[in-house]
Structure formats: structure tokens, C-alpha cells
Amino acid sequence: MRLGAADPARVTTPLAIGLGLAALAARVPSPWAVAVTAGVGVVGLLAPLGAPRSTSPVAWSGALALGVAALLIASRLPAFLGLGPHGAGALVHPAGPAAVGAGAVGAVAEEAFFRRLVYGWLASWGASWGAVAAICGSALAFAAIHVPVYGLAVLPIDIAAGLLLGWQRWVTGGWSASGITHVAANLIAQGVIP
């Protein structure tokens, strides 16, 4: 979808994205952070965008399977190589039910925001930006908002995760596969999926 000059979304969508990024970057771990993240996810769901393109169930399932498999391999790679935990791996702690629920809500909300709204808005600018800019732009924004809480050590991991999730968005035409993959990533980080 190419936005016209008179289209109010031309102003409101970048404003919503900017405010959402600011809210996500300002989060501190607390119950309020879950509410802020959920609120930003609702904005990501309600913002006006064109209809997602449909894809085959085989492509959707394949993108989901490859994404989850990549996460499982990446989570085991440091131990396989004999390396100690570093970056996000140092943050893995077994989580209780409330934390698991908060992680799932956060994952779905972030995907609605980053892979539906941010990706969709960047992709709407057409051939001059295209899917590559949408994948990379949403991945960089996704990684940047995690730095204030987790530090620079997670930046490479979050950029890689954002690129994977953006690729899934591109392949499937929607954000549901990346949402499920992000939930799986949070479950791995929380020690629920060993």
C-alpha cells in the first residue's frame, strides 16, 4: 500500500511508531512494563495498514519451523562449542508462571508492533525501500529498544533475532509466525524450553 499525501496515516503512523519506540525503550522490568508493552502491541494491531498478503500454509509452516529450529540451535550453540554463557545467555533464569505469561504477552505485543506496524509501514514505501529495508529497519528498532534494560551485550543477538523474525514476516506475509517464534524465544530464555 502506498500512502497518499492527504492520508492521515502518513502523519499518525510514524507518530505512533515513535511514541511506541520511546515507551518500549523506557520500560523497566516491572508489572507496568507488561502493561506498557501490551499497550504498544494494541497500537501495532489497530494502526491502519493495508491487508497482509496471503501465503500458503506450507510456506507459513516452513517459516515457523525454520525460525523455531534456528532459535533452538542458537540456544545450544555456546554449550556445544564449549563457551560460557554471554550476552542474553547470561540472562537465562527459570521463570515462574507469571513471568512466563508476561513473556508471552510481551512477545506477541512486540511482534504486533515491530512486524505488523513498523515492518508494514516501512514496506509501504514501495520499491524505494522494499522488503529488505522493512526487515532491517524493524530488526534494528527491535534490537535498540532492548539495550536500555539488557545492555549492549544483547545487541547482536537481538539484531539476529529481529532479522529472523522479519524474514518470517516477509515469507508469510503476516506477523503470526514471528509472534509464535518470539514466544518460543522467550520460553527458551526463561528456561521453560530447555
Side-chain angles (χ1 to χ4, degrees), residues 48-94:
L49 288 175
R53 68 176 168 79
S54 62
T55 189
S56 75
V58 172
W60 186 91
S61 299
L64 176 63
L66 284 172
V68 173
L71 291 173
L72 290 170
I73 291 167
S75 71
R76 288 156 174 74
L77 193 56
F80 178 74
L81 296 174
L83 303 172
H86 61 286
L91 302 173
V92 175
H93 302 288

mmCIF file of all heavy atoms in Angstrom, residues 48-94:
data_model
loop_
_atom_site.group_PDB
_atom_site.id
_atom_site.type_symbol
_atom_site.label_atom_id
_atom_site.label_comp_id
_atom_site.label_asym_id
_atom_site.label_seq_id
_atom_site.Cartn_x
_atom_site.Cartn_y
_atom_site.Cartn_z
ATOM 1 N N PRO A 48 -3.656 1.761 11.072
ATOM 2 C CA PRO A 48 -4.125 1.421 9.719
ATOM 3 C C PRO A 48 -2.972 1.017 8.793
ATOM 4 O O PRO A 48 -2.000 1.732 8.654
ATOM 5 C CB PRO A 48 -4.773 2.722 9.239
ATOM 6 C CG PRO A 48 -4.126 3.800 10.039
ATOM 7 C CD PRO A 48 -3.757 3.185 11.356
ATOM 8 N N LEU A 49 -3.106 -0.159 8.232
ATOM 9 C CA LEU A 49 -2.170 -0.672 7.224
ATOM 10 C C LEU A 49 -2.981 -1.428 6.190
ATOM 11 O O LEU A 49 -4.115 -1.816 6.451
ATOM 12 C CB LEU A 49 -1.151 -1.629 7.850
ATOM 13 C CG LEU A 49 -0.072 -1.048 8.737
ATOM 14 C CD1 LEU A 49 0.758 -2.177 9.343
ATOM 15 C CD2 LEU A 49 0.835 -0.114 7.972
ATOM 16 N N GLY A 50 -2.401 -1.662 5.061
ATOM 17 C CA GLY A 50 -3.071 -2.468 4.047
ATOM 18 C C GLY A 50 -3.215 -3.902 4.524
ATOM 19 O O GLY A 50 -2.564 -4.339 5.470
ATOM 20 N N ALA A 51 -4.065 -4.641 3.871
ATOM 21 C CA ALA A 51 -4.277 -6.043 4.221
ATOM 22 C C ALA A 51 -3.003 -6.842 3.946
ATOM 23 O O ALA A 51 -2.317 -6.603 2.956
ATOM 24 C CB ALA A 51 -5.428 -6.617 3.405
ATOM 25 N N PRO A 52 -2.679 -7.778 4.847
ATOM 26 C CA PRO A 52 -1.487 -8.597 4.598
ATOM 27 C C PRO A 52 -1.722 -9.498 3.392
ATOM 28 O O PRO A 52 -2.840 -9.891 3.107
ATOM 29 C CB PRO A 52 -1.346 -9.416 5.883
ATOM 30 C CG PRO A 52 -2.689 -9.414 6.510
ATOM 31 C CD PRO A 52 -3.366 -8.156 6.069
ATOM 32 N N ARG A 53 -0.632 -9.790 2.685
ATOM 33 C CA ARG A 53 -0.760 -10.716 1.562
ATOM 34 C C ARG A 53 -0.884 -12.121 2.121
ATOM 35 O O ARG A 53 -0.338 -12.431 3.177
ATOM 36 C CB ARG A 53 0.411 -10.576 0.608
ATOM 37 C CG ARG A 53 1.729 -11.030 1.157
ATOM 38 C CD ARG A 53 2.842 -10.944 0.094
ATOM 39 N NE ARG A 53 4.126 -11.122 0.706
ATOM 40 C CZ ARG A 53 4.640 -12.299 1.064
ATOM 41 N NH1 ARG A 53 3.963 -13.390 0.855
ATOM 42 N NH2 ARG A 53 5.831 -12.381 1.616
ATOM 43 N N SER A 54 -1.620 -12.944 1.425
ATOM 44 C CA SER A 54 -1.783 -14.310 1.910
ATOM 45 C C SER A 54 -0.648 -15.172 1.373
ATOM 46 O O SER A 54 -0.026 -14.870 0.359
ATOM 47 C CB SER A 54 -3.135 -14.867 1.477
ATOM 48 O OG SER A 54 -3.208 -14.911 0.075
ATOM 49 N N THR A 55 -0.389 -16.244 2.077
ATOM 50 C CA THR A 55 0.651 -17.180 1.680
ATOM 51 C C THR A 55 0.124 -18.588 1.906
ATOM 52 O O THR A 55 -0.867 -18.783 2.607
ATOM 53 C CB THR A 55 1.950 -16.927 2.469
ATOM 54 O OG1 THR A 55 2.995 -17.716 1.917
ATOM 55 C CG2 THR A 55 1.807 -17.251 3.927
ATOM 56 N N SER A 56 0.786 -19.538 1.368
ATOM 57 C CA SER A 56 0.327 -20.920 1.525
ATOM 58 C C SER A 56 0.609 -21.408 2.944
ATOM 59 O O SER A 56 1.569 -20.972 3.583
ATOM 60 C CB SER A 56 1.036 -21.825 0.518
ATOM 61 O OG SER A 56 2.362 -22.063 0.923
ATOM 62 N N PRO A 57 -0.221 -22.328 3.420
ATOM 63 C CA PRO A 57 0.037 -22.919 4.746
ATOM 64 C C PRO A 57 1.399 -23.613 4.811
ATOM 65 O O PRO A 57 2.031 -23.650 5.859
ATOM 66 C CB PRO A 57 -1.108 -23.921 4.918
ATOM 67 C CG PRO A 57 -2.187 -23.441 4.014
ATOM 68 C CD PRO A 57 -1.487 -22.787 2.860
ATOM 69 N N VAL A 58 1.862 -24.139 3.696
ATOM 70 C CA VAL A 58 3.172 -24.803 3.662
ATOM 71 C C VAL A 58 4.282 -23.782 3.893
ATOM 72 O O VAL A 58 5.204 -24.023 4.680
ATOM 73 C CB VAL A 58 3.372 -25.563 2.327
ATOM 74 C CG1 VAL A 58 4.789 -26.095 2.204
ATOM 75 C CG2 VAL A 58 2.361 -26.684 2.200
ATOM 76 N N ALA A 59 4.204 -22.629 3.225
ATOM 77 C CA ALA A 59 5.216 -21.579 3.421
ATOM 78 C C ALA A 59 5.178 -21.064 4.848
ATOM 79 O O ALA A 59 6.224 -20.854 5.463
ATOM 80 C CB ALA A 59 4.997 -20.438 2.427
ATOM 81 N N TRP A 60 3.980 -20.870 5.390
ATOM 82 C CA TRP A 60 3.839 -20.381 6.766
ATOM 83 C C TRP A 60 4.442 -21.389 7.737
ATOM 84 O O TRP A 60 5.237 -21.027 8.604
ATOM 85 C CB TRP A 60 2.361 -20.129 7.086
ATOM 86 C CG TRP A 60 2.147 -19.493 8.410
ATOM 87 C CD1 TRP A 60 2.071 -18.151 8.667
ATOM 88 C CD2 TRP A 60 1.996 -20.142 9.672
ATOM 89 N NE1 TRP A 60 1.880 -17.932 10.014
ATOM 90 C CE2 TRP A 60 1.832 -19.147 10.650
ATOM 91 C CE3 TRP A 60 1.986 -21.466 10.075
ATOM 92 C CZ2 TRP A 60 1.655 -19.424 12.008
ATOM 93 C CZ3 TRP A 60 1.807 -21.766 11.429
ATOM 94 C CH2 TRP A 60 1.650 -20.751 12.365
ATOM 95 N N SER A 61 4.067 -22.656 7.594
ATOM 96 C CA SER A 61 4.576 -23.708 8.491
ATOM 97 C C SER A 61 6.091 -23.869 8.369
ATOM 98 O O SER A 61 6.787 -24.056 9.371
ATOM 99 C CB SER A 61 3.905 -25.048 8.187
ATOM 100 O OG SER A 61 2.521 -24.964 8.371
ATOM 101 N N GLY A 62 6.587 -23.781 7.142
ATOM 102 C CA GLY A 62 8.033 -23.893 6.931
ATOM 103 C C GLY A 62 8.792 -22.755 7.576
ATOM 104 O O GLY A 62 9.838 -22.969 8.201
ATOM 105 N N ALA A 63 8.277 -21.525 7.439
ATOM 106 C CA ALA A 63 8.934 -20.365 8.051
ATOM 107 C C ALA A 63 8.915 -20.489 9.575
ATOM 108 O O ALA A 63 9.906 -20.181 10.244
ATOM 109 C CB ALA A 63 8.253 -19.074 7.608
ATOM 110 N N LEU A 64 7.796 -20.945 10.123
ATOM 111 C CA LEU A 64 7.709 -21.131 11.576
ATOM 112 C C LEU A 64 8.692 -22.205 12.035
ATOM 113 O O LEU A 64 9.451 -21.992 12.991
ATOM 114 C CB LEU A 64 6.282 -21.504 11.978
ATOM 115 C CG LEU A 64 6.081 -21.821 13.458
ATOM 116 C CD1 LEU A 64 6.392 -20.603 14.321
ATOM 117 C CD2 LEU A 64 4.653 -22.304 13.709
ATOM 118 N N ALA A 65 8.707 -23.341 11.349
ATOM 119 C CA ALA A 65 9.610 -24.441 11.726
ATOM 120 C C ALA A 65 11.076 -24.018 11.635
ATOM 121 O O ALA A 65 11.868 -24.306 12.547
ATOM 122 C CB ALA A 65 9.346 -25.660 10.848
ATOM 123 N N LEU A 66 11.446 -23.326 10.561
ATOM 124 C CA LEU A 66 12.839 -22.874 10.420
ATOM 125 C C LEU A 66 13.196 -21.860 11.503
ATOM 126 O O LEU A 66 14.314 -21.895 12.040
ATOM 127 C CB LEU A 66 13.062 -22.270 9.037
ATOM 128 C CG LEU A 66 13.191 -23.269 7.898
ATOM 129 C CD1 LEU A 66 13.217 -22.545 6.552
ATOM 130 C CD2 LEU A 66 14.440 -24.119 8.069
ATOM 131 N N GLY A 67 12.274 -20.973 11.815
ATOM 132 C CA GLY A 67 12.546 -19.976 12.847
ATOM 133 C C GLY A 67 12.756 -20.595 14.223
ATOM 134 O O GLY A 67 13.720 -20.273 14.921
ATOM 135 N N VAL A 68 11.870 -21.496 14.610
ATOM 136 C CA VAL A 68 11.997 -22.144 15.919
ATOM 137 C C VAL A 68 13.238 -23.036 15.947
ATOM 138 O O VAL A 68 13.971 -23.058 16.950
ATOM 139 C CB VAL A 68 10.709 -22.916 16.282
ATOM 140 C CG1 VAL A 68 10.892 -23.733 17.548
ATOM 141 C CG2 VAL A 68 9.534 -21.942 16.449
ATOM 142 N N ALA A 69 13.506 -23.738 14.866
ATOM 143 C CA ALA A 69 14.713 -24.577 14.803
ATOM 144 C C ALA A 69 15.972 -23.723 14.944
ATOM 145 O O ALA A 69 16.907 -24.102 15.663
ATOM 146 C CB ALA A 69 14.742 -25.363 13.494
ATOM 147 N N ALA A 70 16.007 -22.573 14.274
ATOM 148 C CA ALA A 70 17.168 -21.675 14.386
ATOM 149 C C ALA A 70 17.368 -21.218 15.824
ATOM 150 O O ALA A 70 18.504 -21.153 16.313
ATOM 151 C CB ALA A 70 17.000 -20.478 13.460
ATOM 152 N N LEU A 71 16.276 -20.913 16.513
ATOM 153 C CA LEU A 71 16.390 -20.494 17.918
ATOM 154 C C LEU A 71 16.922 -21.617 18.796
ATOM 155 O O LEU A 71 17.768 -21.387 19.666
ATOM 156 C CB LEU A 71 15.023 -20.048 18.448
ATOM 157 C CG LEU A 71 14.461 -18.765 17.893
ATOM 158 C CD1 LEU A 71 13.043 -18.552 18.393
ATOM 159 C CD2 LEU A 71 15.337 -17.592 18.270
ATOM 160 N N LEU A 72 16.408 -22.818 18.584
ATOM 161 C CA LEU A 72 16.866 -23.954 19.390
ATOM 162 C C LEU A 72 18.343 -24.240 19.147
ATOM 163 O O LEU A 72 19.095 -24.490 20.093
ATOM 164 C CB LEU A 72 16.019 -25.191 19.093
ATOM 165 C CG LEU A 72 14.575 -25.122 19.614
ATOM 166 C CD1 LEU A 72 13.754 -26.278 19.049
ATOM 167 C CD2 LEU A 72 14.553 -25.117 21.128
ATOM 168 N N ILE A 73 18.775 -24.172 17.899
ATOM 169 C CA ILE A 73 20.188 -24.392 17.583
ATOM 170 C C ILE A 73 21.040 -23.283 18.198
ATOM 171 O O ILE A 73 22.064 -23.549 18.824
ATOM 172 C CB ILE A 73 20.400 -24.481 16.058
ATOM 173 C CG1 ILE A 73 19.774 -25.764 15.526
ATOM 174 C CG2 ILE A 73 21.880 -24.393 15.695
ATOM 175 C CD1 ILE A 73 19.640 -25.820 14.014
ATOM 176 N N ALA A 74 20.611 -22.037 18.035
ATOM 177 C CA ALA A 74 21.373 -20.903 18.577
ATOM 178 C C ALA A 74 21.472 -20.974 20.100
ATOM 179 O O ALA A 74 22.512 -20.624 20.666
ATOM 180 C CB ALA A 74 20.735 -19.584 18.151
ATOM 181 N N SER A 75 20.418 -21.443 20.762
ATOM 182 C CA SER A 75 20.457 -21.509 22.226
ATOM 183 C C SER A 75 21.418 -22.579 22.726
ATOM 184 O O SER A 75 21.919 -22.497 23.838
ATOM 185 C CB SER A 75 19.055 -21.751 22.787
ATOM 186 O OG SER A 75 18.609 -23.072 22.505
ATOM 187 N N ARG A 76 21.682 -23.581 21.900
ATOM 188 C CA ARG A 76 22.575 -24.663 22.303
ATOM 189 C C ARG A 76 24.000 -24.515 21.765
ATOM 190 O O ARG A 76 24.906 -25.211 22.189
ATOM 191 C CB ARG A 76 21.998 -25.997 21.833
ATOM 192 C CG ARG A 76 20.776 -26.400 22.645
ATOM 193 C CD ARG A 76 19.881 -27.344 21.900
ATOM 194 N NE ARG A 76 18.777 -27.854 22.694
ATOM 195 C CZ ARG A 76 17.703 -27.153 23.034
ATOM 196 N NH1 ARG A 76 17.580 -25.908 22.689
ATOM 197 N NH2 ARG A 76 16.735 -27.694 23.747
ATOM 198 N N LEU A 77 24.199 -23.605 20.854
ATOM 199 C CA LEU A 77 25.491 -23.448 20.201
ATOM 200 C C LEU A 77 26.624 -23.113 21.171
ATOM 201 O O LEU A 77 27.689 -23.743 21.096
ATOM 202 C CB LEU A 77 25.393 -22.406 19.090
ATOM 203 C CG LEU A 77 26.553 -22.331 18.118
ATOM 204 C CD1 LEU A 77 26.802 -23.681 17.455
ATOM 205 C CD2 LEU A 77 26.278 -21.271 17.063
ATOM 206 N N PRO A 78 26.454 -22.157 22.105
ATOM 207 C CA PRO A 78 27.578 -21.866 23.014
ATOM 208 C C PRO A 78 28.033 -23.086 23.813
ATOM 209 O O PRO A 78 29.225 -23.334 23.935
ATOM 210 C CB PRO A 78 27.023 -20.771 23.925
ATOM 211 C CG PRO A 78 25.960 -20.115 23.109
ATOM 212 C CD PRO A 78 25.350 -21.224 22.291
ATOM 213 N N ALA A 79 27.089 -23.883 24.330
ATOM 214 C CA ALA A 79 27.466 -25.076 25.095
ATOM 215 C C ALA A 79 28.139 -26.100 24.186
ATOM 216 O O ALA A 79 29.120 -26.736 24.578
ATOM 217 C CB ALA A 79 26.230 -25.682 25.754
ATOM 218 N N PHE A 80 27.638 -26.256 22.972
ATOM 219 C CA PHE A 80 28.221 -27.188 22.015
ATOM 220 C C PHE A 80 29.660 -26.804 21.698
ATOM 221 O O PHE A 80 30.522 -27.668 21.542
ATOM 222 C CB PHE A 80 27.368 -27.215 20.742
ATOM 223 C CG PHE A 80 27.918 -28.106 19.674
ATOM 224 C CD1 PHE A 80 27.826 -29.492 19.779
ATOM 225 C CD2 PHE A 80 28.540 -27.571 18.552
ATOM 226 C CE1 PHE A 80 28.333 -30.314 18.789
ATOM 227 C CE2 PHE A 80 29.055 -28.390 17.561
ATOM 228 C CZ PHE A 80 28.949 -29.769 17.679
ATOM 229 N N LEU A 81 29.920 -25.493 21.610
ATOM 230 C CA LEU A 81 31.268 -25.011 21.308
ATOM 231 C C LEU A 81 32.149 -24.893 22.547
ATOM 232 O O LEU A 81 33.299 -24.499 22.454
ATOM 233 C CB LEU A 81 31.188 -23.656 20.600
ATOM 234 C CG LEU A 81 30.500 -23.662 19.231
ATOM 235 C CD1 LEU A 81 30.354 -22.245 18.702
ATOM 236 C CD2 LEU A 81 31.270 -24.538 18.249
ATOM 237 N N GLY A 82 31.593 -25.224 23.714
ATOM 238 C CA GLY A 82 32.352 -25.145 24.947
ATOM 239 C C GLY A 82 32.515 -23.733 25.477
ATOM 240 O O GLY A 82 33.433 -23.458 26.245
ATOM 241 N N LEU A 83 31.635 -22.835 25.086
ATOM 242 C CA LEU A 83 31.704 -21.452 25.538
ATOM 243 C C LEU A 83 30.774 -21.244 26.733
ATOM 244 O O LEU A 83 29.727 -21.880 26.821
ATOM 245 C CB LEU A 83 31.278 -20.497 24.410
ATOM 246 C CG LEU A 83 32.075 -20.606 23.115
ATOM 247 C CD1 LEU A 83 31.427 -19.747 22.033
ATOM 248 C CD2 LEU A 83 33.505 -20.183 23.347
ATOM 249 N N GLY A 84 31.155 -20.355 27.614
ATOM 250 C CA GLY A 84 30.288 -19.998 28.728
ATOM 251 C C GLY A 84 29.176 -19.081 28.258
ATOM 252 O O GLY A 84 29.220 -18.543 27.151
ATOM 253 N N PRO A 85 28.153 -18.911 29.095
ATOM 254 C CA PRO A 85 27.065 -18.015 28.702
ATOM 255 C C PRO A 85 27.559 -16.579 28.582
ATOM 256 O O PRO A 85 28.400 -16.124 29.348
ATOM 257 C CB PRO A 85 26.036 -18.156 29.821
ATOM 258 C CG PRO A 85 26.744 -18.794 30.953
ATOM 259 C CD PRO A 85 27.944 -19.499 30.405
ATOM 260 N N HIS A 86 27.066 -15.899 27.562
ATOM 261 C CA HIS A 86 27.399 -14.496 27.360
ATOM 262 C C HIS A 86 26.187 -13.826 26.733
ATOM 263 O O HIS A 86 25.293 -14.498 26.229
ATOM 264 C CB HIS A 86 28.628 -14.338 26.475
ATOM 265 C CG HIS A 86 28.452 -14.906 25.112
ATOM 266 N ND1 HIS A 86 28.453 -16.264 24.863
ATOM 267 C CD2 HIS A 86 28.230 -14.304 23.921
ATOM 268 C CE1 HIS A 86 28.253 -16.462 23.577
ATOM 269 N NE2 HIS A 86 28.116 -15.302 22.982
ATOM 270 N N GLY A 87 26.154 -12.536 26.764
ATOM 271 C CA GLY A 87 25.020 -11.808 26.179
ATOM 272 C C GLY A 87 23.731 -12.239 26.824
ATOM 273 O O GLY A 87 23.627 -12.359 28.027
ATOM 274 N N ALA A 88 22.724 -12.534 26.022
ATOM 275 C CA ALA A 88 21.424 -12.940 26.542
ATOM 276 C C ALA A 88 21.511 -14.284 27.252
ATOM 277 O O ALA A 88 20.719 -14.561 28.144
ATOM 278 C CB ALA A 88 20.392 -13.002 25.426
ATOM 279 N N GLY A 89 22.470 -15.138 26.879
ATOM 280 C CA GLY A 89 22.615 -16.427 27.540
ATOM 281 C C GLY A 89 22.899 -16.299 29.022
ATOM 282 O O GLY A 89 22.545 -17.162 29.807
ATOM 283 N N ALA A 90 23.526 -15.202 29.425
ATOM 284 C CA ALA A 90 23.797 -14.972 30.836
ATOM 285 C C ALA A 90 22.544 -14.536 31.575
ATOM 286 O O ALA A 90 22.534 -14.498 32.799
ATOM 287 C CB ALA A 90 24.882 -13.902 30.994
ATOM 288 N N LEU A 91 21.488 -14.210 30.845
ATOM 289 C CA LEU A 91 20.261 -13.728 31.468
ATOM 290 C C LEU A 91 19.226 -14.825 31.665
ATOM 291 O O LEU A 91 18.157 -14.566 32.184
ATOM 292 C CB LEU A 91 19.638 -12.610 30.604
ATOM 293 C CG LEU A 91 20.533 -11.404 30.349
ATOM 294 C CD1 LEU A 91 19.866 -10.477 29.345
ATOM 295 C CD2 LEU A 91 20.817 -10.672 31.640
ATOM 296 N N VAL A 92 19.504 -16.058 31.256
ATOM 297 C CA VAL A 92 18.527 -17.139 31.354
ATOM 298 C C VAL A 92 18.350 -17.527 32.815
ATOM 299 O O VAL A 92 19.301 -17.858 33.503
ATOM 300 C CB VAL A 92 18.967 -18.366 30.521
ATOM 301 C CG1 VAL A 92 18.019 -19.529 30.731
ATOM 302 C CG2 VAL A 92 19.046 -17.995 29.055
ATOM 303 N N HIS A 93 17.103 -17.451 33.259
ATOM 304 C CA HIS A 93 16.735 -17.846 34.615
ATOM 305 C C HIS A 93 15.425 -18.606 34.540
ATOM 306 O O HIS A 93 14.529 -18.201 33.801
ATOM 307 C CB HIS A 93 16.539 -16.626 35.511
ATOM 308 C CG HIS A 93 17.737 -15.735 35.606
ATOM 309 N ND1 HIS A 93 18.869 -16.077 36.285
ATOM 310 C CD2 HIS A 93 17.983 -14.518 35.086
ATOM 311 C CE1 HIS A 93 19.759 -15.101 36.180
ATOM 312 N NE2 HIS A 93 19.246 -14.145 35.451
ATOM 313 N N PRO A 94 15.290 -19.697 35.308
ATOM 314 C CA PRO A 94 13.997 -20.374 35.327
ATOM 315 C C PRO A 94 12.917 -19.388 35.785
ATOM 316 O O PRO A 94 13.108 -18.638 36.735
ATOM 317 C CB PRO A 94 14.190 -21.496 36.341
ATOM 318 C CG PRO A 94 15.673 -21.707 36.399
ATOM 319 C CD PRO A 94 16.290 -20.366 36.122
#
